[in-house]
Amino acid sequence: MPPAEPLPDHTPIAIIGAGFAGLAMAIRLVEAGRRDFVIFDKEDEVGGTWKVNTYPGCACDVPSHLYSLSFAPHAGWSRSFSPQPEIWAYQRALAERYGLYAHLHLSTQIVQAAFDEAEGLWRLCTHRGQTFTAQVVVAGMGGLSQPSVPQLPGQDSFQGAQFHTQQWDHEYELRGKRVAVIGTGASAIQVVPQIAPQAEQLHVFQRSAPWVLPKDDYEIDVAVRARLDKYPALLKLKRWGIYWALEWKVAALVLAPALTQAVRRQSLRHMRSAISDKALVETVTPNYAPGCKRILLSNDYYPALARSNVEVVTAGIQELRKDSIITQDGQSRPVDAIIYGTGFKATDPVAPGVVFGRAGLDLVQAWAEGPKAYRGTTVAGFPNLFFILGPNTGLGHTSVLVMMEAQVDYILGALKTLEDRGASWCDVRPPAQTAYNTWLQRRMARTVWSTGGCQSWYQDARGKNVTLWPGFTVGYRRMMRRFDPEAYEWSTTPAQG
Ligand code: NAP
């Protein structure tokens, strides 16, 4: 890995985050013949979420051939659903292949970004206190990077191990231990089957049960991989087959939630085939419409719950003591380790005092009523700042990489327009942003995420869904194909740096 160039005083494009979003942006810039960018990541390697999540069982629940970049396809996936080490290896290989390490400043956190309207550029500062300017900032930090750990009474007095799934303690030996897993979301249901056979006793603290479907997970034969490698058209066909098979599913989520009844029936069959204890079946049957929270895929979660050393606990946690968890029904469970599978701070992605736009406006203030952006990418008052996977661009049914790629296209269009107009910056007009969000929230109102009778991380504290795109990705991709300069205010002074 060649070392990055020294940090410049000025860069035309600063990309923050070297996960899939930052990598996709950088690769498309390289393909467009541009080398005038730098990428920052707080971690010591590329990969983002696939670098930091290393918990046992960590794997993608979107099929491999779609969970990869369309312009950098990979024929060598060993399974239909890739495990984390393979996805991370693919990302490192991409960074190598496109010469991105020369642009990368790893172990470098951007702690502040402020728009200087007089100079028409961004002033950024790293955690080491280094400062530099950028004409354009691309924010690819992702919404699922800040772990959410509940504050529990007595947490500090607990003397065993406690860690979040994203901060897995690989030094800690779970074998023979009494373990509690808090949460039953996408991460927890991958962890539970891995540790259930090792732990002496496993308590799974379930606040609300997930809908779980079988996972069509199988090894991809070496001969098949070789054929896909030899015939790129076949690989493309496979990708598009998966894309369309998943794409139609969103119809049930956004247009006709009643159609999710088929998921309910399939999930109940899946559950009952693994769990014979009727009381346990009742405990793990969700009380909201399928799709309201992410539908999970697993073949080993229900069998793990049916083990004799596993208990599903539905009573809320009252407090932690030195070596036990006390629940609200007064029961005490001695535990050696607590694993928080409690998700991420998805609806509060930015801390106060970090991003300042025109007139010194803090992004947190601009988002006081919840994060919102124009087409999930630009925010009024924050010129030349482009988000990848910004507000309302998440998905519940297919690969988010599809959304990222559409946003990268749009940003490339913006960069070209800036250049063609000799402009220093563009700022989305507030009426365009307001009209877009009014339209989006109107569509959101009829989706299963709003009507399905659940509380999920998709919604902020006011119950507003600020994370998901309420439609087909085809529609989003069509909308993002053309950059629309008429929605923006333009400034040509001072001249572009
Ligand atoms: P999550 O889906 O937000 O699940 C968090 C779990 O913790 C939920 O069961 C939640 O219960 C529970 N919880 C949260 N706070 C709690 C508290 N104070 N007390 C008790 N329980 C609490 O988080 P995640 O499993 O880490 O997944 C987050 C997202 O990451 C997923 O939706 C997905 O987008 C992504 N992900 C993807 C994959 C993949 O394979 N592609 C794998 C892992 C994660 P409630 O449901 O009641 O809130």
Side-chain angles (χ1 to χ4, degrees):
M1 178 199 310
E5 301 291 323
L7 189 59
D9 292 335
H10 177 79
T11 178
I13 306 167
I15 301 172
I16 306 174
F20 268 122
L23 293 175
M25 187 74 234
I27 292 170
R28 291 294 308 279
L29 286 169
V30 168
E31 286 185 337
R34 293 191 71 154
R35 297 266 168 197
D36 53 350
F37 62 90
V38 287
I39 319 171
F40 299 90
D41 200 288
K42 61 182 167 44
E43 296 297 319
D44 61 2
E45 217 354 316
V46 302
T49 195
W50 294 105
K51 193 247 169 212
V52 294
N53 280 282
T54 60
Y55 59 79
C58 185
C60 192
D61 60 7
V62 175
S64 315
H65 295 98
L66 186 60
Y67 201 82
S68 39
L69 297 172
S70 66
F71 44 82
H74 179 53
W77 299 116
S78 72
R79 302 195 69 81
S80 52
F81 290 90
S82 312
Q84 173 269 339
E86 253 183 74
I87 302 175
W88 188 36
Y90 165 69
Q91 294 174 309
R92 297 196 309 274
L94 288 179
E96 200 73 65
R97 179 170 9 139
Y98 289 91
L100 302 185
Y101 284 109
H103 299 262
L104 270 157
H105 291 265
L106 294 168
S107 306
T108 305
Q109 187 170 3
I110 300 298
V111 292
Q112 197 170 79
F115 188 68
D116 179 336
E117 200 163 344
E119 295 293 326
L121 40 70
W122 282 91
R123 297 193 176 280
L124 295 105
C125 182
T126 72
H127 73 287
R128 291 186 206 93
Q130 299 154 288
T131 55
F132 65 101
T133 58
Q135 200 64 44
V136 164
V137 176
V138 178
M141 294 92 71
L144 301 177
S145 57
Q146 303 293 331
S148 168
V149 176
Q151 302 296 305
L152 300 169
Q155 208 157 25
D156 292 340
S157 59
F158 181 69
Q159 288 177 2
Q162 39 180 338
F163 48 88
H164 187 271
T165 47
Q166 195 222 53
Q167 295 158 340
W168 196 266
D169 182 353
H170 290 277
E171 302 295 307
Y172 186 80
E173 178 56 79
L174 288 163
R175 196 168 296 280
K177 300 280 172 41
R178 297 161 304 178
V179 182
V181 170
I182 304 179
T184 53
S187 304
I189 74 145
Q190 294 182 336
V191 165
V192 163
Q194 298 294 313
I195 63 176
Q198 300 175 21
E200 179 194 301
Q201 176 69 42
L202 177 60
H203 306 283
V204 179
F205 285 81
Q206 170 189 285
R207 189 165 66 178
S208 41
W211 285 106
V212 182
L213 289 178
K215 188 173 187 180
D216 188 21
D217 187 15
Y218 55 88
E219 200 178 321
I220 300 174
D221 197 78
V222 177
V224 173
R225 290 182 234 166
R227 209 172 311 133
L228 292 173
D229 193 37
K230 189 164 173 199
Y231 302 108
L234 264 187
L235 184 56
K236 215 171 193 172
L237 201 67
K238 184 160 183 63
R239 181 185 174 89
W240 283 108
I242 299 169
Y243 175 74
W244 285 108
L246 295 182
E247 182 70 346
W248 70 266
K249 293 189 175 176
V250 81
L253 303 178
V254 301
L255 297 176
L259 293 178
T260 59
Q261 290 312 316
V263 173
R264 176 188 296 271
R265 284 193 295 274
Q266 195 187 359
S267 181
L268 288 174
R269 270 200 307 275
H270 187 44
M271 188 188 294
R272 289 175 187 140
S273 71
I275 305 175
S276 51
D277 177 346
K278 284 201 169 63
L280 183 56
V281 165
E282 201 169 311
T283 301
V284 299
T285 301
N287 60 359
Y288 56 87
C292 186
K293 297 182 194 218
R294 190 179 178 87
I295 295 170
L296 308 180
L297 304 181
S298 175
N299 299 329
D300 47 12
Y301 179 60
Y302 289 137
L305 297 188
R307 291 175 63 96
S308 58
N309 67 332
V310 177
E311 179 201 21
V312 178
V313 184
T314 54
I317 296 174
Q318 183 177 302
E319 64 173 310
L320 305 189
R321 292 199 184 146
K322 153 161 106 46
D323 53 7
S324 61
I325 298 181
I326 313 295
T327 43
Q328 277 155 5
D329 55 8
Q331 274 203 57
S332 168
R333 288 174 180 81
V335 292
D336 303 302
I338 301 173
I339 296 163
Y340 297 97
T342 41
F344 299 88
K345 295 176 184 163
T347 56
D348 280 323
V350 184
V354 176
V355 184
F356 296 95
R358 292 169 77 179
L361 178 65
D362 189 321
L363 184 59
V364 172
Q365 254 174 294
W367 282 354
E369 287 171 22
K372 56 172 175 286
Y374 178 65
R375 300 187 174 188
T377 310
T378 49
V379 180
F382 295 80
N384 283 7
L385 172 62
F386 298 93
F387 284 88
I388 301 182
L389 285 197
N392 293 106
T393 55
L395 298 172
H397 71 290
T398 187
S399 170
V400 284
L401 272 58
V402 170
M403 301 296 274
M404 289 183 193
E405 290 195 17
Q407 291 184 286
V408 168
D409 273 343
Y410 187 81
I411 298 167
L412 289 171
L415 294 177
K416 176 154 186 345
T417 314
L418 278 166
E419 206 171 277
D420 291 350
R421 294 185 173 212
S424 52
W425 53 263
C426 62
D427 185 12
V428 67
R429 296 178 191 278
Q433 178 173 298
T434 304
Y436 173 79
N437 281 284
T438 304
W439 166 82
L440 184 140
Q441 289 300 334
R442 207 176 301 128
R443 284 175 67 130
M444 192 68 81
R446 62 180 184 218
T447 66
V448 72
W449 307 308
S450 307
T451 63
C454 77
Q455 243 290 314
S456 73
W457 65 259
Y458 298 151
Q459 298 151 318
D460 67 8
R462 284 164 294 271
K464 184 169 151 197
N465 188 322
V466 294
T467 53
L468 293 186
W469 165 247
F472 291 86
T473 63
V474 175
Y476 187 75
R477 290 167 56 217
R478 196 180 307 121
M479 179 178 80
M480 298 301 273
R481 208 169 283 154
R482 188 186 77 86
F483 176 70
D484 49 341
E486 61 281 5
Y488 290 78
E489 175 191 344
W490 294 84
S491 174
T492 47
T493 50
Q496 195 174 359

